[in-house]
Amino acid sequence: MALKITVIGTGYLGATHAAAMAELGFEVLGLDVVPEKIEMLQRGEVPMYEPGLEELLRRHVAGIEGASGRLRFTTSYEEAGAFGDVHFICVNTPQKHGEYACDMSYVESAFDALAPHLTRPALVVGKSTVPVGSAARLAERLAAAAPAGAAVELAWNPEFLREGFAVQDTLHPDRIVVGVAGERGEELLREVYATPLAEGSPFIVMDYPTSELVKTSANSFLATKISFINAMAEVCEAADGDVVKLAEAIGHDERIGKKYLRAGIGFGGGCLPKDLRAFMARAGELGADQALTFLREIDSINMRRRGHMVELTREALGGGGFLGKRVAVLGATFKPDSDDVRDSPALNVAGQIHLQGGQVTVYDPKGMENARRVFPTLSYADTALDAVRGADVVLHLTEWREFRELDPATLGDVVAERRILDGRNALDAALWRKAGWTYRALGRPSA
Ligand code: UDX
């Protein structure tokens, strides 16, 4: 009989995973402790913006016309325990308030709530990003609390999905990493991922600690690459070089590669910044803090970008204060094709200028609602054109396609000054300059 799957936690990761599992042909039950989220999902609505996810969900949610009916949702752990052969834990692990360390409370509550309902053989699969050592500890806790005892196994299966590409990354993963303590875990996960495995996704089996480290080290490497190119941008600015050309040229070296070398205002989001910090904190606990001191520098380079963007804006406005100056900000999300504003460099820059007295108006194609919630005192406009009306300077801070397609001449008619600063190195400088704009970008010569 086909495996029955539960997905616990229906945020970016869980909602996508649940819909993807239904797409792969399994009966799926998604669980969340927030009833409003579950009600939305039951109606086939996704609580966030993620391209393709709503369509995928609506293809499978029971009760929706024409859907396969393989996907249902609940708030009951009892129901989840009775239903599932394989339980994926997809709850979030935010940064602890006032500390670098990872807040494990959602993961722990999920395990504690599920365990008493595991009365028959089952596999629990952790997907959340956790500090190394967590899986071994959780496996013991599970064995002690589950009525089925040793018939309940734990596997760790980190998730590498990128927001904006979540559906694609989940259905066609570039690798499947599995940390196990026994053979049954591997067997069941090979069954779950049979379709991507047949397509050729590599399946890499290892112990718990290595699987936990794969995720944090992958994110640290990506963060390092971004901060590396941003450090080069700082040097380029000092030496009048061009970081975009530099990135293109070094990227041709296959050992370096072109990806993740886009210089700009740096990385943000719900993963890279907090994972980096949690990794440093955990290494410290393990007595290996020296190995990761360089990550502190990666974090500082990244945070410096935001302040630098603010200073560049001040300079563009003549070097004085922001009082009475009108600043238009294009982009609020931490990256395009997402509505996520968690630790968004764009919103951070907008906020800093606002707090220094600037009149900041923000526009973002999908992130307005979330941005308003986080930063209600900023002004928001309904279109890019409205945002730039009367502006003394325009900041391009999230590289949405919509912004690349803007017509510099049309915008030029409504601004007070034709000044644009490209914080993402994504606009066509020549096009803007031709339309009479002063265009400046991070890490590039000013003219
Ligand atoms: C990241 C990892 O890519 C993913 O594998 C992991 O599972 C979760 O964290 P995500 O947070 O969706 O995914 O964002 P990502 O696309 O990696 O971008 C992170 C940040 O880096 C964004 O703010 C982006 O704008 C920035 N970035 C990325 C750059 O500044 N330059 C680049 O070259 C690439």
Side-chain angles (χ1 to χ4, degrees):
M1 223 173 67
L3 293 172
K4 287 187 170 176
I5 291 177
T6 78
V7 176
I8 295 170
T10 58
Y12 283 97
L13 166 58
T16 313
H17 193 68
M21 289 295 115
E23 176 77 4
L24 293 180
F26 299 102
E27 294 281 328
V28 183
L29 183 64
L31 178 148
D32 205 287
V33 292
V34 182
E36 296 77 36
K37 240 190 219 174
I38 290 302
E39 284 158 21
M40 275 188 88
L41 290 162
Q42 273 165 341
R43 292 195 300 267
E45 293 164 22
V46 181
M48 63 267 179
Y49 175 72
E50 181 60 46
L53 182 53
E54 193 144 298
E55 291 83 336
L56 190 69
L57 195 75
R58 298 184 67 84
R59 264 218 296 282
H60 298 293
V61 174
I64 289 185
E65 211 188 303
S68 73
R70 288 197 290 270
L71 178 54
R72 291 187 303 110
F73 292 95
T74 185
T75 53
S76 157
Y77 272 101
E78 191 180 351
E79 196 183 341
F83 178 89
D85 303 302
V86 179
H87 304 275
F88 283 98
I89 309 290
C90 297
V91 296
N92 60 335
T93 47
Q95 186 176 337
K96 262 191 198 163
H97 195 68
E99 274 179 59
Y100 269 17
C102 165
D103 176 358
M104 284 289 286
S105 60
Y106 301 115
V107 174
E108 277 157 12
S109 331
F111 272 81
D112 290 347
L114 178 67
H117 302 292
L118 298 176
T119 52
R120 60 186 172 88
L123 179 68
V124 177
V125 186
K127 271 202 162 294
S128 310
T129 303
V130 295
V132 59
S134 303
R137 186 169 51 78
L138 290 163
E140 279 176 21
R141 201 153 151 167
L142 199 58
V152 175
E153 253 191 57
L154 177 71
W156 215 264
N157 170 218
E159 178 57 55
F160 305 100
L161 69 80
R162 297 159 298 167
E163 287 179 25
F165 299 91
V167 171
Q168 145 94 10
D169 287 352
T170 307
L171 286 172
H172 311 284
D174 55 8
R175 79 281 210 191
I176 299 164
V177 171
V178 167
V180 288
E183 276 168 23
R184 197 164 148 66
E186 178 181 342
E187 247 168 61
L188 284 174
L189 283 171
R190 280 189 185 276
E191 216 175 313
V192 168
Y193 293 118
T195 307
L197 285 177
E199 281 175 5
S201 290
F203 190 83
I204 314 165
V205 183
M206 56 195 74
D207 53 29
Y208 290 149
T210 312
S211 68
E212 293 164 315
L213 286 168
V214 168
K215 171 73 192 203
T216 38
S217 64
N219 276 354
S220 301
F221 188 84
L222 294 173
T224 302
K225 238 185 143 178
I226 300 170
S227 276
F228 172 82
I229 202 64
N230 281 331
M232 293 308 111
E234 287 185 18
V235 180
C236 279
E237 267 168 39
D240 217 17
D242 183 338
V243 75
V244 175
K245 282 279 169 220
L246 182 143
E248 183 190 341
I250 63 173
H252 280 295
D253 184 329
E254 274 180 18
R255 293 167 303 175
I256 296 174
K258 287 196 172 72
K259 292 187 181 156
Y260 262 73
L261 286 182
R262 276 179 290 112
I265 52 171
F267 58 81
C271 286
L272 294 193
K274 65 111 176 149
D275 286 355
L276 212 64
R277 294 172 194 150
F279 198 19
M280 283 187 265
R282 183 63 184 141
E285 286 168 10
L286 293 169
D289 42 341
Q290 254 194 331
L292 298 188
T293 42
F294 78 98
L295 289 182
R296 209 171 287 277
E297 195 52 36
I298 299 305
D299 201 2
S300 315
I301 293 170
N302 190 55
M303 296 310 282
R304 207 149 70 212
R305 301 309 286 165
R306 305 172 181 192
H308 184 56
M309 189 71 212
V310 174
E311 289 321 307
L312 209 65
T313 310
R314 188 195 309 282
E315 216 176 275
L317 289 168
F322 286 109
L323 265 182
K325 299 290 185 189
R326 298 169 76 128
V327 180
V329 169
L330 301 180
T333 54
F334 83 105
K335 69 187 249 186
D337 295 318
S338 165
D339 64 355
D340 198 345
V341 301
R342 283 178 296 172
D343 203 358
S344 165
L347 203 53
N348 181 299
V349 168
Q352 285 194 52
I353 296 175
H354 164 74
L355 293 171
Q356 292 180 40
Q359 290 178 34
V360 181
T361 307
V362 180
Y363 167 73
D364 187 279
K366 295 285 175 196
M368 301 283 274
E369 209 178 305
N370 286 338
R372 255 199 205 100
R373 208 170 299 141
V374 178
F375 230 120
T377 52
L378 288 171
S379 297
Y380 293 92
D382 290 336
T383 63
L385 196 65
D386 282 344
V388 307
R389 218 175 279 285
D392 297 306
V393 63
V394 177
L395 311 186
H396 174 247
L397 300 184
T398 312
E399 67 278 34
W400 286 91
R401 172 195 275 268
E402 182 181 326
F403 299 150
R404 284 198 298 282
E405 290 173 351
L406 287 171
D407 176 20
T410 313
L411 262 62
D413 287 342
V414 303
V415 292
E417 294 288 339
R418 296 186 176 195
R419 268 190 214 117
I420 186 155
L421 302 182
D422 187 357
R424 289 295 183 181
N425 273 309
L427 300 175
D428 183 344
L431 197 75
W432 286 81
R433 286 182 179 142
K434 218 173 94 197
W437 288 73
T438 311
Y439 170 96
R440 270 203 79 179
L442 299 182
R444 304 188 81 177
S446 41

